[in-house]
Amino acid sequence: GSGILSLCSAKLWLNSQIIAGDIDDEAIIVTDGNAKNNQLESQIKSYVSDGYKHEAIKNNAPYDMILCNILANPLIAFAPDLANHLKSNGYCILSGFIDAQVDDVISAHEQQGLKLIKLYSLDNWRAALMQKVN
């Protein structure tokens, strides 16, 4: 964890406030350092959290966009929490899964009221843009 999704989001959306979470406290230390090195520390707040459990993550919901770069099984397990933390008509980008896992990852999120907008491919890796439609 380097905080790359947070850093890119902050650079792309200059007036955004980013909340980042990771289960690894070393990843949070690195994220905070990278945010400072890129003069983005005022935009990015990062927390050690198992999914959506940290109070700051819960208290700032619902979100316009949620970005997840984790493996298929955690993506599937967190699908209900993602839907609960995402605004109606909000978007999520899911990545970190392979072609053989596409149906399971997409289905888990569709069951929560999200719709697949576009599936991206790079070699065997996949990423999905989805929107909450309920």
Side-chain angles (χ1 to χ4, degrees):
S2 64
I4 190 69
L5 295 177
S6 301
L7 298 167
C8 290
S9 296
K11 291 274 190 180
L12 183 61
W13 295 291
L14 298 176
N15 295 316
S16 62
Q17 291 298 305
I18 311 293
I19 296 179
D22 199 294
I23 60 170
D24 181 8
D25 47 345
E26 183 64 28
I28 297 305
I29 293 167
V30 172
T31 296
D32 290 345
N34 286 336
K36 184 174 182 176
N37 290 340
N38 287 277
Q39 294 78 48
L40 297 170
E41 65 269 24
S42 66
Q43 278 182 267
I44 299 171
K45 304 296 179 218
S46 60
Y47 303 96
V48 175
S49 185
D50 182 6
Y52 299 82
K53 291 182 181 176
H54 193 283
E55 288 300 314
I57 294 172
K58 289 192 256 185
N59 293 340
N60 284 284
Y63 297 99
D64 296 314
M65 178 175 281
I66 296 175
L67 308 173
C68 301
N69 185 36
I70 52 179
L71 299 173
N73 287 337
L75 285 172
I76 292 165
F78 290 141
D81 283 338
L82 184 147
N84 288 333
H85 287 80
L86 189 61
K87 286 183 181 177
S88 185
N89 296 314
Y91 291 91
C92 68
I93 298 174
L94 310 172
S95 62
F97 57 101
I98 60 173
D99 186 54
Q101 300 165 328
V102 167
D103 290 343
D104 292 336
V105 170
I106 301 304
S107 175
H109 290 82
E110 287 175 337
Q111 291 172 25
Q112 302 303 318
L114 282 82
K115 176 178 85 168
L116 179 64
I117 303 298
K118 186 167 183 175
L119 185 66
Y120 297 88
S121 302
L122 179 62
D123 299 324
N124 194 35
W125 291 101
R126 301 296 175 263
L129 171 63
M130 300 189 78
Q131 184 177 24
K132 184 174 179 181
V133 294
N134 63 356

